[in-house]
Amino acid sequence: NAGVTQTPKFQVLKTGQSMTLQCAQDMNHNSMYWYRQDPGMGLRLIYYSASEGTTDKGEVPNGYNVSRLNKREFSLRLESAAPSQTSVYFCASGSEQYFGPGTRLTVT
Amino acid sequence: QKEVEQNSGPLSVPEGAIASLNCTYSDRGSQSFFWYRQYSGKSPELIMFIYSNGDKEDGRFTAQLNKASQYVSLLIRDSQPSDSATYLCAVNAISYQLTFGKGTKLSVIP
C-alpha cells in the first residue's frame, strides 16, 4: 500500500517549456487535489477533483491544467512554464487529504 | 476571503512540556478541522481531525474545537525533540476544499 505517489521528485524547466506532474493513489479515494507550497504563502489549492470525471479550479489555477485520468490518477500540466511557477507541488487524496511526497520544480 | 490564522512562531518548549498550538478561522460555516505536521523538506502528514465542539485525544495529541469562538487548538503532551516541525491547521469551509494556515514552527529543546 504505497498511499499517494508523485513523479518526478525534482524537475528543472526553462521558461516556456511544458511538463506534466503525475499523481496516483491506491486508497480508493474519490477526491484528489493539487497544491503548491511557497515560502510565506502556505499551501494553496490549484485544482481538485471531487470524483472521477470531474475537476474544479481552486485558489490559484492560472497557468495549469489537470486531468483525472481514472479514479487512481490525477495529473497536473504546465503548458508554458514561468519562473513564478517555481514551487513545491503536492498531490493529496481523500477528504482528510493524505499527501504525496511532492515535486520540487524550478523554472529558470 | 476565508482565512485561517496561525502564529508563525517559532514556539519553543522544553522536552517533556506541553506544546499548545492555536488556530483561528473566519468562516462560521466551517465543518471540519485538521492538524498536519510537516518536517522540513517533507510533505504534510495528517495528525488529527475534529468535527465536533470539545476535545479529541489520540495518544499524546489532543485537538480542541470551539466553534463559537472560531478557534481550534492542538496540544502535544510530553513533547519530544522529534515533535519539532511545522504544524499546519486546515479548515473545511467549502465542500471538498481545505483552507490551510501558514503553519506554526515548533521547536522542542532537549
Side-chain angles (χ1 to χ4, degrees), chain A residues 35-98:
Chain A
Y35 291 91
R36 60 178 290 174
Q37 187 174 40
D38 303 290
M41 300 297 292
L43 278 162
R44 292 181 292 171
L45 182 65
I46 304 171
Y47 270 93
Y48 68 99
S49 171
S51 61
E52 186 179 354
T54 68
T55 61
D56 284 288
K57 296 178 180 179
E59 181 185 354
V60 288
N62 291 344
Y64 306 95
N65 285 299
V66 291
S67 295
R68 183 74 183 268
L69 304 171
N70 48 55
K71 191 171 186 179
R72 290 189 63 249
E73 299 173 287
F74 189 37
S75 63
L76 178 72
R77 182 161 179 83
L78 286 69
E79 290 290 352
S80 178
S84 60
Q85 294 178 304
T86 293
S87 187
V88 180
Y89 291 85
F90 291 108
C91 176
S93 76
S95 54
E96 291 91 18
Q97 303 201 14
Y98 297 91

Side-chain angles (χ1 to χ4, degrees), chain B:
Chain B
Q1 179 89 9
K2 300 178 184 349
E3 296 184 343
V4 177
E5 300 287 343
Q6 296 181 257
N7 188 322
S8 62
L11 173 66
S12 294
V13 300
E15 184 175 355
I18 296 176
S20 178
L21 303 160
N22 299 311
C23 172
T24 60
Y25 59 95
S26 63
D27 188 345
R28 285 195 170 275
S30 300
Q31 298 294 319
S32 314
F33 307 85
F34 302 81
W35 283 100
Y36 296 83
R37 176 177 61 200
Q38 187 174 25
Y39 293 113
S40 181
K42 301 296 185 182
S43 59
E45 173 191 8
L46 179 66
I47 301 174
M48 293 187 70
F49 55 87
I50 185 168
Y51 300 136
S52 304
N53 274 333
D55 295 359
K56 180 181 179 182
E57 186 174 319
D58 184 0
R60 295 187 296 113
F61 298 96
T62 299
Q64 299 176 317
L65 174 61
N66 184 324
K67 289 187 178 181
S69 300
Q70 295 176 243
Y71 83 77
V72 57
S73 62
L74 180 70
L75 301 179
I76 306 174
R77 290 182 299 280
D78 188 24
S79 295
Q80 301 298 309
S82 59
D83 294 325
S84 298
T86 296
Y87 289 80
L88 305 175
C89 171
V91 174
N92 183 327
I94 303 173
S95 181
Y96 298 107
Q97 296 188 46
L98 293 187
T99 301
F100 284 81
K102 295 180 181 178
T104 297
K105 186 171 184 177
L106 173 65
S107 180
V108 180
I109 312 300

